[in-house]
Amino acid sequence: MPAERTLHVSESNVDVIVFPDAAAAVRSAAERIARIVAESVAARGKAVLGLATGATPEKVYDDLAARVRAGTLSFRDVTTYNLDEYYPIQPVDPRSYRSYMQRFLFDRVDLAPNRAHVLDGTVPEAATAAHAAEFDRWIDADGGLDLQLLGIGRNGHIGFNEPSELAVEAFASQPTRVVGLHPITKTDAIREFGSLEAVIPRALTMGVRQILAARTILMLATGPHKAPIVARALKGPLTANVPASLLRTVADKVVWLVDEPAAAELG
Ligand code: GLP
């Protein structure tokens, strides 16, 4: 199997690390997360991670859980904040991102329950803005995110920050908040909800401000269905209409981990 290669995207002046397959990209993501945990804990006694859901990171969490079982990684000094959650939804609903995180990571590692934070899909409607603001305050009080793990939606969304007509600067400063889901996002969520009618059409999402403020951002994109949007994010215009294109504004701290099928339209 050939090793990874670095591909320079001249349109955005961004380097992308391209792996022969998804498994190699996933392994690299897990290795980098484990390293950032070790370095942050050594430097200041704790690590603060921003985590993602979706199909892409499932195997990353398998890898991290295996490291914990093997004794080479611990979440003892880790605090986590997830990107997003459907709204409204019960945490015990198997389709909630809280359930996903319990299943894939939290129940399998030594992470304290009061340091594994997922936006709460049960807060009263009138309290959503206060809850979202509180979530941002918790992250800020924790010293910000050492790492944000990201996936990319087929419409370019990061978290549930959907394509927007806002100017780039305004979009980049958006806080955590309630959003309506984009038609492409709803279509992709049929995988979890069974039918379009069953998809919960709103969500709470960490804002772009907090994502871009993370000290390291890992963007993991795998599979041929991600090739067009990866190319738009890196070769198309820098615009809130393709939320992931805003990662170019903080390019020096973003690591793009992409498999060959997802990189197919970059060359
Ligand atoms: C989901 C999540 C995002 C995720 C993206 C891609 O709806 N809200 O955080 O990164 O869409 O998901 P997948 O990895 O399943 O393609």
mmCIF file of all heavy atoms in Angstrom, residues 51-57 61 82-84 97-98 100-101 151 192:
data_model
loop_
_atom_site.group_PDB
_atom_site.id
_atom_site.type_symbol
_atom_site.label_atom_id
_atom_site.label_comp_id
_atom_site.label_asym_id
_atom_site.label_seq_id
_atom_site.Cartn_x
_atom_site.Cartn_y
_atom_site.Cartn_z
ATOM 1 N N LEU A 51 -15.723 17.382 19.420
ATOM 2 C CA LEU A 51 -15.955 16.113 18.712
ATOM 3 C C LEU A 51 -17.107 16.214 17.727
ATOM 4 O O LEU A 51 -17.988 17.066 17.842
ATOM 5 C CB LEU A 51 -16.218 15.006 19.728
ATOM 6 C CG LEU A 51 -15.061 14.744 20.713
ATOM 7 C CD1 LEU A 51 -15.445 13.649 21.699
ATOM 8 C CD2 LEU A 51 -13.772 14.379 19.975
ATOM 9 N N ALA A 52 -17.084 15.300 16.760
ATOM 10 C CA ALA A 52 -18.070 15.298 15.682
ATOM 11 C C ALA A 52 -18.809 13.965 15.643
ATOM 12 O O ALA A 52 -18.308 12.956 16.156
ATOM 13 C CB ALA A 52 -17.358 15.528 14.347
ATOM 14 N N THR A 53 -19.958 13.963 15.012
ATOM 15 C CA THR A 53 -20.709 12.715 14.798
ATOM 16 C C THR A 53 -20.764 12.442 13.298
ATOM 17 O O THR A 53 -19.966 12.979 12.534
ATOM 18 C CB THR A 53 -22.117 12.833 15.417
ATOM 19 O OG1 THR A 53 -22.698 14.038 14.935
ATOM 20 C CG2 THR A 53 -22.044 12.864 16.930
ATOM 21 N N GLY A 54 -21.690 11.607 12.873
ATOM 22 C CA GLY A 54 -21.757 11.233 11.458
ATOM 23 C C GLY A 54 -21.065 9.894 11.243
ATOM 24 O O GLY A 54 -20.452 9.339 12.163
ATOM 25 N N ALA A 55 -21.153 9.393 10.025
ATOM 26 C CA ALA A 55 -20.571 8.084 9.708
ATOM 27 C C ALA A 55 -19.042 8.142 9.743
ATOM 28 O O ALA A 55 -18.384 7.189 10.178
ATOM 29 C CB ALA A 55 -21.049 7.625 8.332
ATOM 30 N N THR A 56 -18.463 9.256 9.295
ATOM 31 C CA THR A 56 -17.012 9.342 9.121
ATOM 32 C C THR A 56 -16.216 9.080 10.407
ATOM 33 O O THR A 56 -15.265 8.298 10.373
ATOM 34 C CB THR A 56 -16.629 10.708 8.515
ATOM 35 O OG1 THR A 56 -17.532 10.982 7.437
ATOM 36 C CG2 THR A 56 -15.212 10.716 7.998
ATOM 37 N N PRO A 57 -16.571 9.702 11.539
ATOM 38 C CA PRO A 57 -15.712 9.501 12.725
ATOM 39 C C PRO A 57 -15.962 8.210 13.501
ATOM 40 O O PRO A 57 -15.248 7.945 14.470
ATOM 41 C CB PRO A 57 -16.015 10.730 13.592
ATOM 42 C CG PRO A 57 -17.312 11.241 13.146
ATOM 43 C CD PRO A 57 -17.577 10.742 11.768
ATOM 44 N N TYR A 61 -13.459 6.722 16.609
ATOM 45 C CA TYR A 61 -13.783 6.422 18.002
ATOM 46 C C TYR A 61 -13.451 4.968 18.339
ATOM 47 O O TYR A 61 -12.995 4.680 19.446
ATOM 48 C CB TYR A 61 -15.246 6.783 18.293
ATOM 49 C CG TYR A 61 -15.518 8.264 18.099
ATOM 50 C CD1 TYR A 61 -16.679 8.726 17.486
ATOM 51 C CD2 TYR A 61 -14.575 9.212 18.507
ATOM 52 C CE1 TYR A 61 -16.909 10.087 17.301
ATOM 53 C CE2 TYR A 61 -14.791 10.573 18.314
ATOM 54 C CZ TYR A 61 -15.962 11.001 17.714
ATOM 55 O OH TYR A 61 -16.174 12.341 17.518
ATOM 56 N N ASN A 82 -19.318 18.398 22.067
ATOM 57 C CA ASN A 82 -19.723 17.978 20.717
ATOM 58 C C ASN A 82 -20.215 19.144 19.887
ATOM 59 O O ASN A 82 -20.723 20.132 20.408
ATOM 60 C CB ASN A 82 -20.789 16.898 20.801
ATOM 61 C CG ASN A 82 -20.177 15.541 20.619
ATOM 62 O OD1 ASN A 82 -19.612 15.002 21.580
ATOM 63 N ND2 ASN A 82 -20.207 15.019 19.416
ATOM 64 N N LEU A 83 -20.066 18.981 18.601
ATOM 65 C CA LEU A 83 -20.440 20.041 17.663
ATOM 66 C C LEU A 83 -21.930 20.361 17.669
ATOM 67 O O LEU A 83 -22.311 21.523 17.531
ATOM 68 C CB LEU A 83 -20.110 19.599 16.238
ATOM 69 C CG LEU A 83 -18.696 19.766 15.732
ATOM 70 C CD1 LEU A 83 -18.582 19.094 14.369
ATOM 71 C CD2 LEU A 83 -18.343 21.243 15.616
ATOM 72 N N ASP A 84 -22.763 19.316 17.738
ATOM 73 C CA ASP A 84 -24.173 19.584 17.457
ATOM 74 C C ASP A 84 -25.093 18.507 18.017
ATOM 75 O O ASP A 84 -24.644 17.476 18.502
ATOM 76 C CB ASP A 84 -24.385 19.765 15.938
ATOM 77 C CG ASP A 84 -23.661 18.706 15.103
ATOM 78 O OD1 ASP A 84 -23.298 17.651 15.660
ATOM 79 O OD2 ASP A 84 -23.461 18.937 13.906
ATOM 80 N N TYR A 97 -27.453 12.605 18.948
ATOM 81 C CA TYR A 97 -25.992 12.587 18.934
ATOM 82 C C TYR A 97 -25.441 12.246 20.316
ATOM 83 O O TYR A 97 -24.337 11.721 20.435
ATOM 84 C CB TYR A 97 -25.448 13.914 18.412
ATOM 85 C CG TYR A 97 -25.616 14.066 16.910
ATOM 86 C CD1 TYR A 97 -25.510 15.308 16.299
ATOM 87 C CD2 TYR A 97 -25.850 12.954 16.095
ATOM 88 C CE1 TYR A 97 -25.643 15.451 14.921
ATOM 89 C CE2 TYR A 97 -25.984 13.088 14.714
ATOM 90 C CZ TYR A 97 -25.881 14.340 14.137
ATOM 91 O OH TYR A 97 -26.002 14.478 12.775
ATOM 92 N N ARG A 98 -26.219 12.541 21.380
ATOM 93 C CA ARG A 98 -25.817 12.100 22.724
ATOM 94 C C ARG A 98 -25.741 10.567 22.743
ATOM 95 O O ARG A 98 -24.747 10.012 23.213
ATOM 96 C CB ARG A 98 -26.803 12.642 23.763
ATOM 97 C CG ARG A 98 -26.747 11.958 25.111
ATOM 98 C CD ARG A 98 -25.380 12.003 25.790
ATOM 99 N NE ARG A 98 -25.061 13.297 26.364
ATOM 100 C CZ ARG A 98 -23.990 13.516 27.127
ATOM 101 N NH1 ARG A 98 -23.135 12.530 27.408
ATOM 102 N NH2 ARG A 98 -23.742 14.723 27.591
ATOM 103 N N TYR A 100 -25.366 8.540 20.174
ATOM 104 C CA TYR A 100 -24.241 8.170 19.294
ATOM 105 C C TYR A 100 -22.927 8.248 20.067
ATOM 106 O O TYR A 100 -22.118 7.316 20.030
ATOM 107 C CB TYR A 100 -24.236 9.125 18.093
ATOM 108 C CG TYR A 100 -23.007 9.066 17.192
ATOM 109 C CD1 TYR A 100 -23.085 8.526 15.909
ATOM 110 C CD2 TYR A 100 -21.777 9.594 17.606
ATOM 111 C CE1 TYR A 100 -21.966 8.489 15.076
ATOM 112 C CE2 TYR A 100 -20.666 9.552 16.783
ATOM 113 C CZ TYR A 100 -20.761 9.008 15.520
ATOM 114 O OH TYR A 100 -19.651 8.970 14.702
ATOM 115 N N MET A 101 -22.723 9.357 20.780
ATOM 116 C CA MET A 101 -21.441 9.542 21.481
ATOM 117 C C MET A 101 -21.277 8.540 22.620
ATOM 118 O O MET A 101 -20.174 8.053 22.858
ATOM 119 C CB MET A 101 -21.314 10.973 22.005
ATOM 120 C CG MET A 101 -21.107 12.027 20.924
ATOM 121 S SD MET A 101 -19.740 11.691 19.769
ATOM 122 C CE MET A 101 -18.314 11.616 20.871
ATOM 123 N N GLY A 151 -16.181 16.778 10.296
ATOM 124 C CA GLY A 151 -16.513 16.141 9.036
ATOM 125 C C GLY A 151 -17.064 17.228 8.130
ATOM 126 O O GLY A 151 -17.179 18.389 8.544
ATOM 127 N N GLU A 192 -30.306 7.982 9.339
ATOM 128 C CA GLU A 192 -30.556 7.806 10.772
ATOM 129 C C GLU A 192 -32.045 7.756 11.115
ATOM 130 O O GLU A 192 -32.441 7.120 12.077
ATOM 131 C CB GLU A 192 -29.942 8.981 11.556
ATOM 132 C CG GLU A 192 -28.426 9.099 11.469
ATOM 133 C CD GLU A 192 -27.951 10.542 11.595
ATOM 134 O OE1 GLU A 192 -28.121 11.305 10.618
ATOM 135 O OE2 GLU A 192 -27.421 10.917 12.653
#
